[in-house]
């Protein structure tokens, strides 16, 4: 019954920064691993970053390592994705997702997405 709402997307030039936020409902938010996924036009959805329920474990796809940072504030039921040094290839709809298992290949709950566009 988890509901997720993303915000913070927009248009930015190459090298710029954005911070995405994901607000989650429910008092059991802290029991879930959280992830950010993205889908570019004509491409399949890919996992960008994940964070365990207690924040102790994180995952990043190779293409964003050193540029993106995932974090969570369980007291606020919110997950963040700080995106720095953005590139045109980062352009996509970004989705927030939640699952009971950090390593799940397909997360159970999804937000509706927020558009990130990086101009060249």
């Amino acid at each position: 019954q988890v509901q997720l709402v993303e915000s913070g997307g927009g248009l930015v030039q190459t090298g710029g920064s954005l911070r995405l936020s994901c607000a989650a409902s429910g008092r059991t938010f802290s029991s879930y691993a959280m992830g950010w996924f993205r889908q570019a036009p004509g491409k399949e959805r890919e996992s960008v970053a994940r964070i365990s329920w207690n924040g102790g474990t994180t995952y990043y796809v190779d293409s964003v390592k050193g540029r993106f940072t995932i974090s969570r504030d369980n007291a606020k039921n919110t997950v963040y994705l700080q995106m720095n040094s953005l590139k045109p290839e980062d352009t996509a709809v970004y989705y927030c997702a939640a699952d009971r298992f950090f390593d799940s290949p397909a997360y159970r709950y999804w937000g509706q997405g927020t558009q990130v566009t990086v101009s060249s």
Side-chain angles (χ1 to χ4, degrees):
Q1 295 183 354
V2 176
Q3 295 185 357
L4 307 170
V5 179
E6 303 95 334
S7 63
L11 175 64
V12 65
Q13 294 186 0
T14 298
S17 298
L18 287 172
R19 189 180 75 161
L20 306 183
S21 298
C22 174
S25 66
R27 297 184 69 251
T28 60
F29 168 79
S30 62
S31 298
Y32 288 83
M34 302 294 298
W36 287 97
F37 296 73
R38 67 186 181 188
Q39 186 168 29
K43 297 183 179 180
E44 295 297 317
R45 186 174 298 179
E46 69 171 344
S47 176
V48 177
R50 301 177 186 180
I51 187 167
S52 60
W53 68 271
N54 63 356
T57 304
T58 57
Y59 159 84
Y60 299 95
V61 68
D62 286 345
S63 61
V64 309
K65 287 181 178 178
R67 301 189 298 120
F68 290 12
T69 302
I70 187 171
S71 61
R72 67 190 298 162
D73 186 341
N74 288 349
K76 296 183 177 180
N77 287 0
T78 302
V79 176
Y80 305 95
L81 185 67
Q82 179 67 46
M83 305 186 295
N84 298 326
S85 301
L86 284 163
K87 305 174 181 179
E89 50 263 46
D90 295 318
T91 295
V93 177
Y94 283 71
Y95 298 89
C96 177
D99 199 276
R100 294 294 302 273
F101 303 101
F102 177 85
D103 293 327
S104 176
Y107 276 33
R108 186 188 307 173
Y109 303 104
W110 292 82
Q112 296 190 35
T114 185
Q115 176 70 232
V116 171
T117 302
V118 184
S119 64
S120 59

